[in-house]
Amino acid sequence: MTDAMAAGRFPADEPLSELGRRQVDDLGELRADRSCCGPELRVRHTAELAGLSASVLPELADLDTGDWRGRSLDEPAPADLMAWLSEPGAAPHGGESILGVIDRVRAWMDALQPGRTVAVTHPAVVRAAILIALAAPPESFWRIDVPPAGKTVLHRRAAVWTLRV
C-alpha cells in the first residue's frame, strides 16, 4: 500500500506507506533460489523489507499508465477510462495496454530457469501471470483481485503453468 493507492490515484513511483510496511511484515519468510523485483521504489522497498536480495528487472515493472500516473482515478475522461477497462488493446493514457503487459510478462515467464523464483511485483503483473497460466482471455484481466502484499504461487511443469490456490 502506498499513499497514492490509499488516496485513489493511479500509481506513482513512491515508497510504501506505514500500512504497506505492516503488510510486508505479515508476509512471513520467503524462500527462493533467486529473487527479483520491478524497478519501482515501492517494490524494491517491499523486497528489502521481506529480506530478499532481489535483482531489479524491467519486465516486472508496473503497468505504465502514461499521462494518468499519479492522477486521481476520476480525472480521466469517462470514455477513455471505460475503453482502458474494457478493451485490452487500448492505452488512452499513452502508456501500456493490457495486451502489452501480458506480452511482457509472458516473455519473462518463458525465460525463467528451473528452480524457485520469488518475484516482488505489482497487481497488474500478477494478473497477467495468472491469465497466462490459465490460458484465460485478456478480457479477464480486471476480474482478478490481487491484494497488496499477497502471495500468488505458480508452478511450471514442462511448458505448462499451473496456479496454486
Side-chain angles (χ1 to χ4, degrees), residues 35-155:
S35 60
C36 48
C37 67
E40 295 84 3
L41 181 59
R42 60 192 180 273
V43 290
R44 288 185 285 122
H45 193 196
T46 299
E48 180 183 310
L49 289 172
L52 299 170
S53 202
S55 301
V56 175
L57 300 178
E59 298 89 351
L60 297 177
D62 200 359
L63 191 151
D64 178 4
T65 56
D67 295 336
W68 296 352
R69 186 178 298 113
R71 292 183 173 187
S72 170
L73 296 177
D74 61 0
E75 286 185 51
D80 288 345
L81 188 59
M82 185 52 65
W84 186 58
L85 293 172
S86 62
E87 301 169 23
H93 43 60
E96 186 175 32
S97 70
I98 301 306
L99 293 178
V101 76
I102 292 170
D103 289 344
R104 174 169 46 90
V105 172
R106 183 185 314 278
W108 173 74
M109 290 172 69
D110 287 348
L112 280 172
Q113 298 300 309
R116 185 183 300 236
T117 300
V118 170
V120 179
T121 189
H122 308 276
V125 174
V126 174
R127 286 183 189 108
I130 290 170
L131 290 178
I132 293 162
L134 299 178
E139 293 79 12
S140 300
F141 184 85
W142 295 112
R143 296 181 188 157
I144 302 169
D145 185 19
V146 180
K151 289 183 190 178
T152 301
V153 180
L154 300 172
H155 294 274

Side-chain angles (χ1 to χ4, degrees), residues 18-38:
E18 181 58 38
L19 173 58
R21 289 188 290 279
R22 286 194 309 270
Q23 289 169 325
V24 174
D25 288 342
D26 293 340
L27 276 174
E29 182 183 353
L30 300 174
R31 297 174 322 170
D33 297 327
R34 68 188 88 42
S35 60
C36 48
C37 67

